[in-house]
Amino acid sequence: MEATLFSDVREASYLSTKKTHRYRPIIRYMYEQKRIFNTEVLPIEIFNYLIQHPRFDDYTMEELIADLNALVKSNNLTEIPDNTEVEGIEDFKRNRRLFVLTDFTFEIEKMLTSFEKNFHRIGTSLEPTLPEKLYNSLHRLREFSRRKNMDKEDLVFLNEVWEDMFDKFFKLDSNASMYLSHINAEKLEVIMAQPDAFIVFKDEFVAYLTNFILELKKNAPYIEQLLRDIEGSGFAILKKYLIQFQRSIPKTEVIPDSDFEMAYDEVWLGVTHWFISRDEKESKVRQLERRTNSSIVRVTKLAQQAAERQFYTRNRKTDYLHLAKMVHQQNNLEEAGELFSFLFGFDNIKHFKTNGKETDSAKYTIWDCQPEEVDITYRAKQPTDKQTKRSLKVPAMGEEALQRKRMLEAQRDYEEKEIKKLLDCNYLALRELGTVEPFIRNAILTWINKGMLSKMQDSNICEGRTEHGVKFKLAQVSDDIIELHSPDGILTLPDYEFTFSEVK
């Protein structure tokens, strides 16, 4: 483990400080200028760029100089003094100082811009032909692994094939991972806000992703077989010739063969793990197939939910205005009534069921059927005297059951009376209640539940009706947690208040 892993990265400190809102625009401007080869930038150029944004209306040149000095101390910028003739000391301090973005910070900004671009789109495309191209590269590598001798031209061609194979594999791995990570992330929620766009996106996504997986499934077994043919002695031959090619390239420093060997081993290990399952570890291609299938199912369900939500929340005002215009254009009330019946049907119409059509021909209608007589005689059996007496017989009730029934009726009357007292108060604050009986606590919980079911969005007030028909409003008056005492325990709940109004 290298010692640099235990030290701070000073160059990244500008991303999370109290002045990040000023440092990042400065660094981004320096990055954009370096990209167009304007590496040395004057403070006045930076200042003119920043003040174009409303957030820098009160920004001064003195604050800019202080920010630039801080970025120089954190190794984000390098200062290059310009010693040409100047008119005064202030001109030298402000405008004759040149600043250059360091290479380390340039790579940080390059990485950030790449992440920002990928974050604001659904991801890169999954090229369907990548698996086939990777198969072709591996097929050529297998041919090289069976050679016993190679000349200089063969070594160059072998390295080109190896680089092409790695390029195709890297693109396949990065694009697939990036695409699926975006599909599984919150980006779908953004598309869900536009149901029409989401449904179109769903169709394209399912078709495209299915094509990619079909192509991958078609080539994956052959790629796996090629990798098994090459690994072992075949890969050892390839690695030997690849290292021989690297030694033939002039370099400023001597790189041991062990470093080349480790680099090639890591690449080969990554490729084989992608397509070949080892012990209990599933290969990446199997994981990709499984995740893709689940993503297709998830996107389809989200699209269905979006379509259903659009249907239920659709504004029918335009439709009804069009129908009203059609009715209004009729000559008289009778024609308007006929049109209305066609549009909305008849109220409480009775239907008669027959034995059906005599044929399934499409040209044959119900009007071509022969009339059919239906017997509507009531065929229910008349009850006998014995059945009538049995139904009228009331079982005798014992003294104990009768006493229990009276107690239950008395308890029910008592509960109704106590609950009615609460409803007659028109106002009920739970924090002001003392010890209440369990049936009152249960009634209060039922009212809270009914109110929560009808809670309006972005509102702390809920409305509902009790089982007695009394309309109420439920409001949480504070963030405190109160206690509602009963003989059988203590219930903790938010600080609610009820306001009762008219009876339905």
Side-chain angles (χ1 to χ4, degrees), residues 198-251:
F198 182 84
I199 293 174
V200 174
F201 166 79
K202 179 266 302 181
D203 295 334
E204 297 176 352
F205 164 74
V206 172
Y208 194 71
L209 205 54
T210 302
N211 293 336
F212 172 79
I213 290 301
L214 289 177
E215 190 69 21
L216 185 61
K217 289 181 66 176
K218 183 177 70 174
N219 290 277
Y222 302 105
I223 294 176
E224 181 179 351
Q225 186 59 44
L226 284 175
L227 294 173
R228 293 187 184 276
D229 293 343
I230 297 174
E231 68 178 352
S233 58
F235 176 65
I237 295 174
L238 291 177
K239 186 166 55 175
K240 180 184 70 174
Y241 287 123
L242 288 170
I243 294 175
Q244 183 178 341
F245 170 79
Q246 293 294 338
R247 285 202 302 264
S248 66
I249 301 175
K251 296 180 176 62

Side-chain angles (χ1 to χ4, degrees), residues 163-175:
E163 294 293 337
D164 181 68
M165 183 276 299
F166 177 73
D167 179 67
K168 297 296 185 297
F169 171 72
F170 180 78
K171 188 180 296 184
L172 175 68
D173 179 70
S174 61
N175 286 5

Side-chain angles (χ1 to χ4, degrees), residues 25-26 29-30 32-34 36-52 59 61 64-65 68 82 94-100:
I26 295 174
Y29 177 75
M30 298 291 293
E32 296 295 341
Q33 293 303 307
K34 191 169 184 177
I36 59 176
F37 306 104
N38 182 24
T39 55
E40 300 176 355
V41 182
L42 290 169
I44 190 63
E45 297 180 68
I46 305 174
F47 183 76
N48 291 335
Y49 167 76
L50 293 177
I51 61 176
Q52 296 177 11
Y59 198 56
M61 179 62 76
L64 174 62
I65 296 299
L68 292 174
D82 188 354
R94 294 182 179 179
N95 297 329
R96 307 309 297 176
R97 299 170 64 186
L98 299 173
F99 293 90
V100 179

Side-chain angles (χ1 to χ4, degrees), residues 419-449:
I419 293 176
K420 193 172 182 305
K421 288 181 180 179
L422 294 179
L423 300 178
D424 292 339
C425 295
N426 296 329
Y427 169 78
L428 176 63
L430 300 187
R431 63 180 177 275
E432 297 177 0
L433 292 177
T435 302
V436 298
E437 298 190 53
F439 68 87
I440 294 181
R441 177 195 60 203
N442 296 338
I444 291 174
L445 291 177
T446 302
W447 300 340
I448 294 175
N449 183 46

Side-chain angles (χ1 to χ4, degrees), residues 94-111:
R94 294 182 179 179
N95 297 329
R96 307 309 297 176
R97 299 170 64 186
L98 299 173
F99 293 90
V100 179
L101 189 68
T102 61
D103 294 337
F104 198 103
T105 309
F106 180 84
E107 293 299 326
I108 293 177
E109 283 297 309
K110 183 178 179 180
M111 177 186 65

